[in-house]
Amino acid sequence: MNERQLSGLADWQVNGFQGVDFNHPELTAEQVRTVSESLAAEGVWYYMPTLITNDVDMLEHFITVISQAARQLDSQTAGDTGDGIRCARIVGLHIEGPFISPHDGARGAHPQQYVRPPDVRLPERWQELAGGMIRLMTLSPEWPDSDRMIRRACELGIRVAIGHTLATTEQITAAVTCGATLSTHLGNGLPTLLPRHPNPVWDQLAQPQLWASAIADGFHLPRSVFDVFRQVKGERLFLVSDCTKFAGMPPGQYTSPIGGEVVLTAEGRLHLADNGQLLAGSALSLRQIVEKTVQNGWLTFEQAWEMAAVHPWRFLGEEPPVECKENVVMT
């Protein structure tokens, strides 16, 4: 991007990077460190490892590994680890599922056999395992006990997002009343076809209290939809990558534990090998998404940087660390 320096980006939805999958059974603390180093080199200095729907025991394994790794990397401050290598700070964990819609389309790539109704005992146990590091949880309010789950999660210091949902207008309204504050990757995690109205996109846009995250890689949302999100949500919209382990890898054909055989194009589009129309996840880093929104004319650099480095913090009720602003050079 000419001479612009991208520093201090904050990505609250990272499933993996450069071959490391945070949802792989053999995840290690060393791999978490590797991702933190790689993201920092990309200009992403703050992030939330994201765990998707899985077996409860496996989720608890991931929570333990990542939270311990975060403490080892000194998650309280962004900077180098004593050996001259900068690591991105793990701000918290994002648990995306398993309390999401069980229905095809809305469920996305989440494995159906592990989707389950809300159980307030689980976030309590998970937050204890994480030492308080869980900052965000995505669920669908279409389950009968969702309201109780949302209230309890908020009591535990966890911000609740609505996502992967076919919830009704009334259920979305109730979720916001109970404390939900975000729409996760709004416009995605939905069936290809929805009722004209009402539907979960309109109903979430209509809630002024809800922030929204968006994957603006040019593949997950068309520009017209992204523009509508910007006009409605304003400063309550921020960018996420939702990147998988394929982000940062060279173009080619790979095997995914979820999608099977997938193809990563030179443009960064990840799709199923046997159906080029179906996306198999996201494969661009937040830095690349910022660059792409500017190059394609969706945003100015200043707008993109605000949405990727400032708005994510404000969603958490915080201001970005000063070093973010001081280290970004805009020309």
Side-chain angles (χ1 to χ4, degrees), residues 1 6 9 226 230 238-239 286 289-294 298-312 330:
M1 298 181 59
L6 287 178
L9 302 176
F226 181 71
R230 283 186 60 213
F238 61 89
L239 301 180
L286 189 59
I289 288 175
V290 166
E291 289 180 342
K292 198 168 183 182
T293 60
V294 176
W298 288 28
L299 299 168
T300 67
F301 176 76
E302 291 77 6
Q303 290 169 334
W305 185 81
E306 287 281 320
M307 292 178 65
V310 178
H311 295 182
M330 296 182 289

Side-chain angles (χ1 to χ4, degrees), residues 31 38 43 90 98 102 114 130 169 183 186 199 202 211 219 257 284 294 296:
Q31 289 178 320
S38 299
I90 296 176
Y114 299 128
T169 304
S183 298
L186 186 60
N199 65 50
W202 288 118
W211 288 67
F219 309 125
L284 295 182
V294 176
N296 292 344

Side-chain angles (χ1 to χ4, degrees), residues 51-325:
L51 304 178
I52 69 166
T53 301
N54 209 320
D55 173 76
V56 169
D57 289 341
M58 191 58 65
L59 279 172
E60 292 180 354
H61 167 67
F62 298 145
I63 289 169
T64 300
V65 170
I66 295 173
S67 57
Q68 289 178 350
R71 286 189 285 271
Q72 291 170 2
L73 291 171
D74 186 13
S75 63
Q76 298 306 308
T77 57
D80 68 54
T81 57
D83 53 10
I85 300 175
R86 187 181 185 95
C87 281
R89 174 187 166 193
I90 296 176
V91 172
L93 276 69
H94 177 178
I95 311 297
E96 186 186 5
F99 319 113
I100 59 171
S101 177
H103 302 293
D104 291 346
R107 192 181 69 255
H110 291 235
Q112 187 173 31
Q113 66 268 33
Y114 299 128
V115 173
R116 57 182 296 156
D119 180 345
V120 295
R121 296 170 298 179
L122 290 178
E124 292 170 357
R125 189 161 80 222
W126 295 346
Q127 190 67 304
E128 183 177 356
L129 281 174
M133 285 197 64
I134 299 175
R135 300 289 299 275
L136 181 60
M137 176 180 291
T138 295
L139 54 75
S140 171
E142 67 196 78
W143 294 98
D145 206 23
S146 298
D147 292 358
R148 184 164 168 251
M149 168 72 87
I150 293 169
R151 291 192 187 95
R152 184 61 185 134
C154 293
E155 291 170 357
L156 293 166
I158 302 171
R159 291 183 181 258
V160 176
I162 298 170
H164 289 278
T165 186
L166 290 177
T168 65
T169 304
E170 294 74 22
Q171 289 167 335
I172 289 171
T173 300
V176 173
T177 300
C178 292
T181 54
L182 175 68
S183 298
T184 289
H185 52 48
L186 186 60
N188 295 114
L190 291 165
T192 303
L193 297 177
L194 289 171
R196 180 177 57 183
H197 48 69
N199 65 50
V201 177
W202 288 118
D203 289 337
Q204 290 178 80
L205 281 173
Q207 292 288 339
Q209 300 95 321
L210 283 179
W211 288 67
S213 64
I215 310 170
D217 60 1
F219 309 125
H220 284 77
L221 294 172
R223 177 172 181 173
S224 59
V225 173
F226 181 71
D227 285 347
V228 169
F229 290 176
R230 283 186 60 213
Q231 291 172 34
V232 174
K233 292 299 179 182
E235 294 188 356
R236 288 181 175 249
L237 179 67
F238 61 89
L239 301 180
V240 292
S241 71
D242 198 16
C243 63
T244 63
K245 72 174 186 177
F246 300 108
M249 296 177 68
Q253 184 161 331
Y254 298 93
T255 299
S256 167
I258 295 176
E261 293 300 309
V262 299
V263 174
L264 175 61
T265 70
E267 296 75 29
R269 186 176 188 271
L270 186 68
H271 64 81
L272 297 182
D274 60 358
N275 188 340
Q277 300 302 310
L278 295 181
L279 295 177
S282 176
L284 295 182
S285 70
L286 189 59
R287 177 190 63 80
Q288 291 174 306
I289 288 175
V290 166
E291 289 180 342
K292 198 168 183 182
T293 60
V294 176
Q295 291 168 354
N296 292 344
W298 288 28
L299 299 168
T300 67
F301 176 76
E302 291 77 6
Q303 290 169 334
W305 185 81
E306 287 281 320
M307 292 178 65
V310 178
H311 295 182
W313 287 102
R314 290 180 178 166
F315 161 67
L316 295 179
E318 304 176 26
E319 287 296 312
V322 173
E323 62 177 339
C324 288
K325 297 178 180 178

